[in-house]
Amino acid sequence: MTSAFKLSRRALLQGTAGLGAAALTAGLPFGQAQAKDVAIGFIYVGPRDDFGYNQAHAQGAAALKKLGGFKVLEEENVPETVAVEKTMESMINLDGAALVFPTSFGYYNPHMIKLAKKYDKVRFLHCGGLWSDKDPANAGSYFGYIDEAQYLNGIVAGYTSKTGKLGFIAAKPIPQVLRNINAFTLGARLANPNVTTQVIFTGDWSMPVKEAEATNGLINQGVDVVTCHVDSPKVIAETAEKRGIMVCGYHVDQSKLAPKGYLTGAEWNWEALYPKLAKSMQGGEKIPNLVRGGLKEGVVKTSAYGPLVEEKARKHADDIKTKLTAGSYVIFKGPIKDNKGATVIGAGTERGQTDIELEKMNYLVEGVLGAIA
């Protein structure tokens, strides 16, 4: 969706507001009477073709389009500000959206929560937030255990690295990001207990210049495998390939960007989840306020191995993947120390994927070089 169209939608919304408040009153059964298909809105913080976070969601929306029976609305490049409230209202009031997916982390509170209170007959599902019983009942959050795929990334990286120095470029030190950094490092240390992961936080989800600088800086320090948790890893993969090091992907398959050095990748599989949620709503089924899933549920997946991945690395990663898919393997099991020497998970304690404590993670594990504050 172009910027021009976004302005058009908002201009229309503003104009409509002046025609009569009744048409915009909260609680109306939006659009159901006007449209045969159920209208569902997707809002992205960046472009849909970013080879990253937004593209993964757009691929899920595309899968929903193929089903039929749904009118899929999309708007890209929407900031995590009051702008997303305007976009949601536009989709609800102009297009009759009955279900809205604001996909970026910063959309949740106060923006989505505010709109959920105002439009109590519309369903709001946010990616990555942590819904609580204090939030509106028509709001909810969904996310995936992509740390499972990052753990597998780490195993492959640990086997393949020649220097034992890995790099992780991250946006912000929030729990979801820390969980990925830690899982990647724990996986790498299965292959090589002495491996380290140097982490660099850029400060925001999409900072291409800083991400390129960070990649070059890590390479200059001897890092020979890099991965990330930013919205658009495109520049990271391209820089790694250009400088002759290896890269593990994130969000979607980036092997086209680094055909020589791409090892594997941690990918979202929203093509599986979005149609399922939409059909549940269409069928009148109750959608849980918290939806989570990993390899077992098909919410995440891994990229095909690249040419540099040796057989022993593939075999080890495949073995762990089989166990994770079966639900018989725990990544975060004690004893685990943070990178300051304190025990964060005690011996004998297992924190499985559904353990809510993992969604509050505020530390970096032993082996990670860097700080969160």
Side-chain angles (χ1 to χ4, degrees), residues 233-253:
K234 186 172 185 287
V235 68
I236 295 172
E238 290 176 333
T239 302
E241 182 82 349
K242 184 178 179 181
R243 293 285 304 272
I245 72 160
M246 297 165 281
V247 59
C248 291
Y250 190 59
H251 296 308
V252 298
D253 184 356

Side-chain angles (χ1 to χ4, degrees), residues 99-293:
L99 172 62
V100 180
F101 291 99
T103 62
S104 192
F105 185 81
Y107 291 160
Y108 188 68
N109 199 352
H111 308 299
M112 191 192 87
I113 295 300
K114 180 180 175 182
L115 270 289
K117 290 176 180 176
K118 185 174 181 179
Y119 298 101
D120 60 1
K121 288 185 171 55
V122 176
R123 182 71 180 174
F124 295 82
L125 291 176
H126 174 266
C127 183
L130 190 56
W131 183 88
S132 77
D133 55 12
K134 296 179 181 178
D135 294 330
N138 60 323
S141 81
Y142 60 96
F143 205 56
Y145 303 129
I146 201 165
D147 55 309
E148 294 178 348
Q150 280 286 21
Y151 190 69
L152 300 174
N153 269 353
I155 292 172
V156 172
Y159 275 106
T160 314
S161 173
K162 305 301 181 187
T163 66
K165 296 180 178 180
L166 312 179
F168 201 114
I169 299 165
K172 301 179 182 183
I174 62 172
Q176 291 93 333
V177 177
L178 300 178
R179 190 166 166 173
N180 275 338
I181 297 168
N182 291 335
F184 177 76
T185 303
L186 291 171
R189 289 198 150 203
L190 290 182
N192 177 1
N194 298 316
V195 76
T196 58
T197 302
Q198 177 71 55
V199 62
I200 294 178
F201 292 101
T202 62
D204 213 337
W205 299 111
S206 183
M207 305 283 284
V209 174
K210 283 190 175 181
E211 290 157 17
E213 291 174 349
T215 308
N216 280 313
L218 289 169
I219 295 170
N220 293 340
Q221 294 176 48
V223 164
D224 64 352
V225 182
V226 68
T227 191
C228 66
H229 186 152
V230 298
D231 271 6
S232 176
K234 186 172 185 287
V235 68
I236 295 172
E238 290 176 333
T239 302
E241 182 82 349
K242 184 178 179 181
R243 293 285 304 272
I245 72 160
M246 297 165 281
V247 59
C248 291
Y250 190 59
H251 296 308
V252 298
D253 184 356
Q254 286 119 23
S255 58
K256 291 181 180 178
L257 303 174
K260 295 180 181 177
Y262 195 79
L263 298 181
T264 183
E267 299 183 32
W268 296 106
N269 190 23
W270 300 129
E271 298 103 304
L273 185 63
Y274 283 148
K276 182 179 179 181
L277 293 174
K279 286 191 287 188
S280 291
M281 192 203 69
Q282 189 182 43
E285 300 173 18
K286 179 176 173 55
I287 300 174
N289 294 102
L290 279 174
V291 176
R292 296 290 188 271

